[in-house]
Amino acid sequence: MCKQTGRTVVAPTKKGARVWLQGLESLGWTGGTRYNVEFHAGFVTLSRNADGKRKVTPSKGGVIDLESRKVAQVFDGCASVVYSVESHSITINKG
């Protein structure tokens, strides 16, 4: 699969901040795909893992919804972020 990129908003919430990715099914991340999340300084990595703690929601063509204080810390002050989708990982960066 070719690398796909896009942009999405960082929305403030009571729990911190939310980053919402949808339409991932067409990019190979179908509903039920399990993954793990790693938070870094300035970016977040989602890695496919058959034993992953999270899974893609099948609605709206495949949705990943990240909401937490950690998301708010990583993307502090950002109104939007850039993401790139590959077959085994998704990287979300400050944009």
Side-chain angles (χ1 to χ4, degrees):
M1 176 179 73
C2 295
K3 183 175 179 178
Q4 300 286 327
T5 60
R7 180 174 289 279
T8 190
V9 299
V10 178
T13 69
K14 291 180 181 180
K15 295 180 181 179
R18 167 176 274 143
V19 173
W20 174 279
L21 306 176
Q22 73 180 41
L24 298 172
E25 187 171 299
S26 64
L27 302 174
W29 287 69
T30 59
T33 299
R34 293 193 139 330
Y35 65 93
N36 286 320
V37 179
E38 294 178 38
F39 295 93
H40 309 278
F43 69 100
V44 174
T45 304
L46 313 177
S47 303
R48 276 186 195 243
N49 183 330
D51 298 321
K53 291 185 177 186
R54 300 177 186 218
K55 63 183 179 178
V56 177
T57 304
S59 65
K60 300 186 189 237
V63 170
I64 291 177
D65 180 11
L66 301 178
E67 180 184 20
S68 70
R69 287 189 184 120
K70 288 182 180 179
V71 172
Q73 291 170 347
V74 171
F75 301 123
D76 184 38
C78 294
S80 66
V81 290
V82 176
Y83 64 91
S84 68
V85 180
E86 298 188 44
S87 58
H88 295 292
S89 66
I90 297 174
T91 304
I92 306 168
N93 290 294
K94 288 183 174 183

